[in-house]
Amino acid sequence: MSAAVRLDPLLWLVLVGAVGLLLPHLPIAVLPLVVGALAWRRLHEVRGWTLPGRWLLGLLAAGSAFLVLLQFHALWGRDAGVTLLVLAAALKLLETRSLRDQHSVLLLSFFLLVSVLLFDQAIWIFLLVSILFWLLVGAWLGVTQPVAEPSGRRLRAAGRLVGMGLPFALILFALFPRPPGGLWGTQQPGGQAVTGLSEQMRPGQFDQLASDPTPAFRVRFDGDVIPPPDRYWRVFVMGGFADDDPESWLADPPAAKPRLETLEESRVAYEVTLEPTGGMQLPSLAAAVGTPRHSRVDANLVVQRNRPVDDRLRYRLQSDLEYRLDAAGLPRFLQKRYLATAGLNPLLQDLAADWRYRAPAERIEAALAYFRDRDFRYTRSPGRREGADRADTFLFETRRGYCADYADAFTRLMRAAGVPARVVTGYQGGEINGNFLVVRQADAHAWSEVWLPGQGWQRIDPTAAVAPERIESGVAQSTTANPDLPATIRRVDDDWSRHLRLWAENLDNRWNQYVLGYDGRIQLDLLRQIGLSALSPLALAIYAFALAGLSWWALLWWIGRREARRASGSETGYRWQRLQANLAALDLPRRNEESERAFLDRVARRMPQEASALRRVGTLLEKTRYARHASRRQEALLQTTLTNLNRRLMGRRLVRRLRSRRG
């Protein structure tokens, strides 16, 4: 058997890079087979190891299919399909002996690179895949040529080929009719959720989120950005307790439509780009009155979606910042629910019992004054929380807590004092970066709502009584002195890592918004700007292909002219060659024995209307070529004369062509 061909070095780089990017998404069971196949092939080329026979390859192929079937219970779908593709490429290396086999590996490598983008479309992943694609084109040039050229020369040629296709791809990307959604839908549900909020508020949950600078969502307002005290982003409303832990709160289930009165003068419109959460709740301001498709506002003003947010989601909302909810009255069963205390925290119960004789508004003020007047501190390290009666421990012993501790204690105080109350969790604040307000996981917040007759549900944030800077200036001002937190959260202006992170986040957001999130709505805005919004989808598709083809032809024409100039040695030589080509097309070719002067004189006799220009060209050619010191002015005059003469001859060629078609 003849020796197997050696894989092209560039192809090796592509295979290792593509498989390396896909390894985190492959089942652990197949990793030894993939890595082993790559190592075996490499040892074959370096140390001469014998490649496996057909019977062993057959067993390995059958075993690979069995592993995939065992892992995914199917042989199709994204995960199963990509795993099969990686295994097929690895096993193909073990039977690659001829040039034809190497062509198959090249084709498989193209599919491997595309598969990487099925899992992650981050900008740095796209750049890595683009580099690998460039290397793969260079490998293709080396494999398909009879005599392999140096890698550097092939990479330059590959770069030119990729660059030639960019205008065609970019025009189709921008103008070809887009579906309603962007490219975000290529991610598969599962394992993508990044939010720290959940339907249960447990002690310590918000403390951990305070150190997480990851963006939870980004907001772009139609007008001015609203001030920080109004930036309460509602996600969960919690009125009940967990069965296994009465100290923890549970979110209310979605209810019917809200009984809502709004003031349209306070309405704001905005667009939210939400990172995957795995939940069905969409963060919103105040009272959402205009919701996106496949969503609704429930009785607690929580925007509920009809399916989980397993992929990045962009949606538009309208909210009224001034509103009254359930002002007409609260049903008895809801009053009972929002007055339940779970029978815990006896010290808290005794404290609130002294306020029951007061008016509801006075009970609220008494609880807030208790926080303000007794040396309470806002901190991520609140101290002991274990055991029962944790609210008593917070109110009467440690007096150190985070937002959830204050919301929990205040809500229990209100219920014990006879005022219906509940906890709301979401986000508060945000940081402006570019044209967007970035709301991070560290901005997660909890506050309270109390129900008052004739006024409905009113937002009360007990954290503001202890740390008003948390509400006015965001979490940054309340944590500036904590060196354990990232500089991005503390907003340290002179920290280079913070500015680098903000720049990277802004770049990533632009990539997500205008590339991955480039949908029909953004395309329509672009079409309006260039005057094409009236075209139908079919007409727009035809227009996009025509424009892309025209740009491709123009690029090829420009490259051809540039290569012709380079081959001619100078701009003057190029224009002189163009003159000879135009005259040849008009049946006046230059004869082999003719000098330049004789050729131009003969043409001048055949074309008397151009005789003056032709003789001037001959004179200037002789002066610039044979003069001891050629004048730049004469060189420029020669180029101008040649250009004008070529334009007139091109017109003659066009007229002749039209006449021949009519004839």
Side-chain angles (χ1 to χ4, degrees):
M1 181 179 295
S2 60
V5 298
R6 295 176 63 89
L7 290 182
D8 187 89
L10 295 179
L11 182 56
W12 263 115
L13 289 175
V14 173
L15 286 170
V16 172
V19 173
L21 291 174
L22 289 170
L23 277 182
H25 309 290
L26 299 178
I28 297 178
V30 307
L31 297 186
L33 185 57
V34 174
V35 176
L38 289 172
W40 194 338
R41 177 69 197 193
R42 190 59 186 164
L43 289 171
H44 163 74
E45 296 188 354
V46 174
R47 298 190 177 181
W49 281 29
T50 304
L51 293 178
R54 293 184 178 276
W55 63 272
L56 181 55
L57 283 173
L59 288 177
L60 291 174
S64 299
F66 177 75
L67 279 176
V68 174
L69 193 61
L70 189 65
Q71 181 71 29
F72 301 104
H73 307 289
L75 295 177
W76 53 86
R78 186 197 65 174
D79 293 340
V82 171
T83 302
L84 272 178
L85 180 63
V86 173
L87 289 169
L91 294 180
K92 185 63 181 178
L93 291 178
L94 298 181
E95 69 166 3
T96 299
R97 292 181 169 84
S98 64
L99 192 60
R100 179 180 179 182
D101 293 330
Q102 196 164 186
H103 288 164
S104 300
V105 176
L106 284 167
L107 288 173
L108 284 172
S109 300
F110 279 107
F111 286 101
L112 286 176
L113 293 181
V114 174
S115 300
V116 175
L117 298 177
L118 296 179
F119 294 94
D120 194 350
Q121 302 98 37
I123 186 171
W124 70 273
I125 290 290
F126 179 81
L127 290 176
L128 285 177
V129 171
S130 299
I131 293 173
L132 292 175
F133 180 81
W134 169 48
L135 295 176
L136 185 56
V137 174
W140 191 283
L141 293 177
V143 172
T144 55
Q145 291 178 355
V147 179
E149 294 184 349
S151 297
R153 186 176 299 175
R154 284 190 283 145
L155 289 178
R156 287 193 294 271
R160 288 194 295 269
L161 287 175
V162 173
M164 289 168 57
L166 279 180
F168 191 85
L170 292 176
I171 291 175
L172 289 183
F173 176 84
L175 298 182
F176 195 81
R178 310 288 296 192
L183 299 180
W184 293 334
T186 57
Q187 294 184 3
Q188 183 163 307
Q192 298 290 337
V194 296
T195 185
L197 295 179
S198 67
E199 296 182 353
Q200 182 175 351
M201 190 180 79
R202 298 176 296 274
Q205 174 188 10
F206 284 78
D207 310 357
Q208 299 171 2
L209 289 176
S211 60
D212 187 357
T214 306
F217 55 93
R218 295 175 174 87
V219 186
R220 180 168 56 187
F221 290 90
D222 286 1
D224 296 334
V225 179
I226 62 175
D230 291 330
R231 299 176 194 166
Y232 280 85
W233 306 94
R234 196 181 195 91
V235 178
F236 292 106
V237 172
M238 301 184 174
F241 305 107
D243 294 335
D244 57 342
D245 182 10
E247 296 283 356
S248 298
W249 294 84
L250 281 181
D252 292 348
K257 293 182 179 180
R259 296 181 297 172
L260 185 65
E261 302 172 26
T262 62
L263 185 64
E264 291 191 9
E265 287 76 7
S266 66
R267 184 164 298 178
V268 293
Y270 52 99
E271 181 182 79
V272 179
T273 303
L274 178 64
E275 296 298 321
T277 66
M280 298 186 180
Q281 295 75 25
L282 305 181
S284 61
L285 285 172
V289 293
T291 59
R293 295 176 56 192
H294 310 300
S295 66
R296 65 181 181 88
V297 181
D298 70 7
N300 293 328
L301 297 184
V302 176
V303 180
Q304 303 279 354
R305 196 166 181 251
N306 61 3
R307 56 179 179 269
V309 183
D310 292 314
D311 190 15
R312 186 179 292 111
L313 177 67
R314 182 169 56 203
Y315 57 92
R316 290 189 60 82
L317 281 173
Q318 289 183 336
S319 295
D320 287 341
L321 301 181
E322 297 183 23
Y323 64 93
R324 296 201 307 172
L325 177 65
D326 293 334
L330 196 64
R332 182 170 299 178
F333 77 95
L334 287 180
Q335 290 192 30
K336 182 178 179 181
R337 174 180 177 83
Y338 294 130
L339 287 172
T341 61
L344 301 174
N345 305 292
L347 297 178
L348 179 151
Q349 300 279 348
D350 292 341
L351 175 64
D354 296 336
W355 304 336
R356 278 183 171 269
Y357 69 92
R358 304 182 184 182
E362 295 178 353
R363 301 175 212 173
I364 296 172
E365 182 56 33
L368 294 177
Y370 185 86
F371 288 123
R372 285 194 297 263
D373 300 340
R374 284 170 175 76
D375 193 30
F376 279 85
R377 299 290 179 85
Y378 182 73
T379 175
R380 291 180 57 247
S381 305
R384 183 165 58 90
R385 279 176 171 158
E386 66 275 5
D389 304 327
R390 286 193 286 260
D392 276 358
T393 302
F394 166 63
L395 285 173
F396 301 101
E397 295 183 25
T398 63
R399 293 181 181 176
R400 304 290 186 270
Y402 206 51
C403 59
D405 299 298
Y406 287 98
D408 168 70
F410 179 84
T411 304
R412 292 177 188 273
L413 279 170
M414 288 296 96
R415 291 189 176 189
V419 178
R422 59 193 185 185
V423 173
V424 182
T425 62
Y427 299 86
Q428 197 283 325
E431 178 182 14
I432 296 176
N433 187 7
N435 298 327
F436 290 82
L437 179 74
V438 182
V439 181
R440 307 181 186 280
Q441 296 296 344
D443 294 313
H445 193 56
W447 61 95
S448 301
E449 284 186 341
V450 298
W451 184 82
L452 300 176
Q455 300 181 42
W457 289 103
Q458 304 293 308
R459 181 178 68 223
I460 306 293
D461 192 348
T463 300
V466 180
E469 69 276 4
R470 166 64 181 89
I471 309 305
E472 293 290 337
S473 305
V475 70
Q477 297 302 316
S478 61
T479 57
T480 302
N482 191 339
D484 297 332
L485 294 178
T488 304
I489 296 177
R490 293 185 286 121
R491 301 186 190 176
V492 181
D493 290 334
D494 58 351
D495 189 282
W496 65 269
S497 63
R498 173 177 179 269
H499 292 287
L500 181 61
R501 184 182 183 94
L502 290 177
W503 177 85
E505 285 182 356
N506 192 24
L507 177 63
D508 182 64
N509 180 51
R510 290 178 180 274
W511 172 260
N512 292 332
Q513 295 289 338
Y514 303 117
V515 179
L516 300 183
Y518 184 74
D519 56 12
R521 183 183 60 81
I522 297 180
Q523 186 184 56
L524 185 59
D525 293 339
L526 174 64
L527 295 178
R528 288 195 187 101
Q529 295 178 10
I530 60 178
L532 298 178
S533 58
L535 294 179
S536 66
L538 178 59
L540 183 61
I542 296 174
Y543 183 88
F545 274 110
L547 184 60
L550 181 63
S551 66
W552 200 3
W553 177 86
L555 178 63
L556 293 176
W557 176 80
W558 176 80
I559 292 175
R561 291 195 62 177
R562 190 186 64 174
E563 294 299 325
R565 281 185 172 90
R566 183 179 301 174
S568 61
S570 66
E571 182 66 23
T572 302
Y574 168 74
R575 298 185 187 188
W576 167 245
Q577 290 181 359
R578 291 294 302 161
L579 177 64
Q580 295 181 79
N582 286 326
L583 290 172
L586 294 171
D587 300 329
L588 291 170
R590 181 181 177 182
R591 298 166 185 168
N592 294 333
E593 69 279 4
E594 279 184 320
S595 65
E596 294 172 349
R597 170 65 73 173
F599 171 57
L600 292 172
D601 288 341
R602 179 170 62 86
V603 174
R605 291 192 296 271
R606 294 282 301 274
M607 302 176 65
Q609 64 275 27
E610 302 293 351
S612 176
L614 289 167
R615 293 192 177 96
R616 188 182 307 116
V617 168
T619 302
L620 291 172
L621 274 175
E622 292 175 349
K623 288 182 178 180
T624 56
R625 290 190 178 181
Y626 305 116
R628 179 173 300 178
H629 299 290
S631 170
R632 291 186 178 180
R633 181 176 178 277
Q634 289 179 343
E635 184 81 21
L637 181 59
L638 174 59
Q639 292 181 10
T640 302
T641 305
L642 285 170
T643 299
N644 294 333
L645 185 56
N646 276 321
R647 288 174 180 172
R648 293 196 294 271
L649 294 179
M650 287 291 295
R652 286 173 173 267
R653 292 177 58 183
L654 181 60
V655 171
R656 171 181 285 195
R657 190 176 303 168
L658 293 175
R659 287 177 177 175
S660 63
R661 288 181 179 178
R662 291 176 182 176

